[in-house]
């Protein structure tokens, strides 16, 4: 696996693969890779002939008081994991390479309206930062397909909307969330948790599962169900940012008649913000 740091080297390596008739798969990441990322690369390697991963901690998607400076940067360990998972090329640019004229006057991609809800309402500008960097990566690599984790459910929906709305010729694949044995969704931010917080963290998924079980069993008083579980989550030691039942595709507030639903949560343990979700299709599809 080669690592390149410039757009010029990236384009040259991708062009070589294209000339060999290879299909290109892209896995955008911010590094500090775990088994969830490895699953993205494995899927990309199954669906494409040449897998490009990117590692870039994108300043544009971090708010002023967020963890941009402390976000873990572990390039050597990440390279090893990417190699093991079947990646062919790593693009690991500097901020200057991605934003050579700075970020102040930059052309940006405004994310679809659904980006103003949920995480977007708590992290203003976050999804515009994501859509801007992802469209830059799409333009640099011009992949046939790109893989994103379903743990970031709203991010995946926002990226699908961007690709649809802007006619981008790339297939978007959502990869199921990878979990620790106790159910906690793998995330680079789990490393911020103290031992005590780590022991409490799986409670989030336990509540999501209980809520989906209740919905599957016919519960339709979503407001009551959400309020009850929110109170229990808070009692367990979390500060809940949101706990919501939404339509699985539009992310609009769920109606009692909806069949495609997603239960989404964002909650703080200390200063660490965890997100998770469970998607339910009451008609049995995915
Ligand atoms: O999910 C992430 O790691 C990031 O938001 C992404 C998609 C790599 C864009 O910076």
């Amino acid at each position: 696996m080669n690592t390149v740091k410039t757009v010029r080297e990236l384009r040259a390596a991708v062009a070589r693969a294209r000339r060999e008739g290879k299909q290109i798969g892209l896995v955008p990441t911010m590094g500090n890779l775990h088994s969830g990322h490895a699953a993205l690369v494995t899927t990309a390697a199954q669906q494409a002939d040449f897998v490009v991963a990117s590692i870039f901690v994108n300043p544009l998607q971090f708010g002023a008081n967020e963890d941009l400076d402390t976000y873990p940067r572990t390039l050597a360990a990440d390279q090893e994991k990417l190699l093991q998972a079947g990646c062919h090329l790593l693009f690991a640019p500097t901020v200057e390479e991605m934003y050579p004229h700075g970020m102040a006057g930059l052309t940006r991609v405004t994310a679809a309206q659904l980006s103003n809800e949920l995480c977007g309402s708590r992290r203003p500008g976050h999804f515009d930062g994501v859509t801007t960097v992802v469209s830059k990566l799409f333009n640099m690599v011009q992949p046939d397909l790109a893989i994103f984790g379903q743990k970031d459910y709203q991010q995946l929906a926002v990226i699908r909307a961007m690709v649809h709305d802007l006619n981008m010729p790339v297939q978007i694949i959502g990869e199921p969330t990878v979990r620790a044995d106790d159910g906690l969704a793998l995330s680079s931010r789990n490393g911020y948790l103290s031992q005590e917080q780590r022991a409490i963290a799986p409670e989030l998924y336990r509540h999501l599962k209980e809520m989906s079980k209740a919905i599957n069993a016919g519960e339709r008083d979503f407001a009551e169900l959400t309020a009850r579980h929110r109170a229990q989550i808070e009692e367990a030691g979390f500060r809940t940012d949101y706990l919501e039942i939404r339509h699985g595709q539009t992310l609009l507030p769920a109606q009692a008649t909806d069949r495609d639903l997603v239960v989404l949560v964002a909650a703080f343990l200390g200063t660490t913000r965890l997100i998770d979700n469970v998607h339910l299709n009451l008609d049995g599809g995915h």
Side-chain angles (χ1 to χ4, degrees):
M1 183 188 77
N2 268 341
T3 298
V4 294
K5 291 191 175 290
T6 65
V7 178
R8 179 198 278 260
E9 292 167 299
L10 170 70
R11 283 195 195 280
V14 172
R16 269 196 301 278
R18 276 246 177 266
R19 275 198 300 275
E20 290 164 13
K22 292 180 174 162
Q23 294 266 96
I24 313 292
L26 173 66
V27 180
T29 81
M30 298 206 301
N32 194 233
L33 306 180
H34 48 66
S35 314
H37 297 108
L40 304 179
V41 174
T42 306
T43 298
Q46 284 161 0
Q47 309 266 340
D49 313 302
F50 188 78
V51 179
V52 182
S54 62
I55 293 182
F56 180 62
V57 183
N58 175 32
L60 215 56
Q61 68 189 74
F62 284 78
N65 300 317
E66 294 185 354
D67 54 345
L68 173 63
D69 293 336
T70 52
Y71 199 87
R73 283 136 169 112
T74 52
L75 185 63
D78 292 347
Q79 283 169 314
E80 188 53 40
K81 287 177 190 156
L82 289 171
L83 179 68
Q84 297 303 327
C87 178
H88 300 101
L89 179 70
L90 168 61
F91 177 50
T94 58
V95 173
E96 293 69 33
E97 182 67 14
M98 287 299 275
Y99 302 118
H101 305 295
M103 290 173 287
L106 190 72
T107 303
R108 294 172 193 233
V109 177
T110 305
Q113 201 172 0
L114 68 92
S115 70
N116 299 324
E117 307 271 320
L118 303 165
C119 284
S121 68
R122 274 76 179 178
R123 305 183 68 191
H126 167 70
F127 285 115
D128 289 356
V130 171
T131 47
T132 300
V133 79
V134 169
S135 45
K136 278 171 74 71
L137 290 167
F138 284 178
N139 286 331
M140 291 168 185
V141 177
Q142 302 187 357
D144 297 284
L145 55 95
I147 324 262
F148 297 86
Q150 288 171 1
K151 183 178 80 69
D152 295 286
Y153 194 93
Q154 188 179 13
Q155 170 173 281
L156 180 58
V158 161
I159 290 169
R160 283 193 199 283
M162 173 184 79
V163 164
H164 177 265
D165 293 347
L166 300 183
N167 305 90
M168 295 179 168
V170 50
Q171 182 193 351
I172 302 299
I173 298 175
E175 178 72 22
T177 303
V178 178
R179 298 181 181 280
D181 289 345
D182 59 11
L184 178 65
L186 296 191
S187 162
S188 301
R189 290 191 168 101
N190 292 350
Y192 297 151
L193 298 172
S194 69
Q195 224 177 343
E196 196 187 325
Q197 290 168 338
R198 176 63 188 79
I200 302 170
E203 278 295 293
L204 273 191
Y205 182 51
R206 196 178 66 71
H207 280 282
L208 292 181
K209 276 196 306 189
E210 266 190 35
M211 289 175 73
S212 358
K213 206 166 141 194
I215 297 169
N216 264 319
E219 175 64 79
R220 286 297 174 274
D221 188 345
F222 294 153
E224 191 281 327
L225 183 65
T226 306
R228 180 153 41 89
H229 282 272
R230 187 181 173 123
Q232 290 169 7
I233 287 172
E234 303 250 328
E235 235 167 78
F238 293 87
R239 187 161 49 82
T240 318
D241 212 348
Y242 61 77
L243 173 66
E244 304 241 1
I245 304 170
R246 295 281 176 124
H247 186 277
Q249 303 306 313
T250 62
L251 288 183
L252 292 170
Q255 307 298 311
T257 50
D258 287 344
R259 310 294 296 163
D260 186 345
L261 296 165
V262 58
V263 190
L264 303 123
V265 69
F268 283 94
L269 267 179
T271 53
T272 306
R273 187 172 183 275
L274 302 175
I275 60 170
D276 203 351
N277 66 82
V278 169
H279 181 217
L280 304 86
N281 192 330
L282 300 179
D283 295 324
H286 288 289

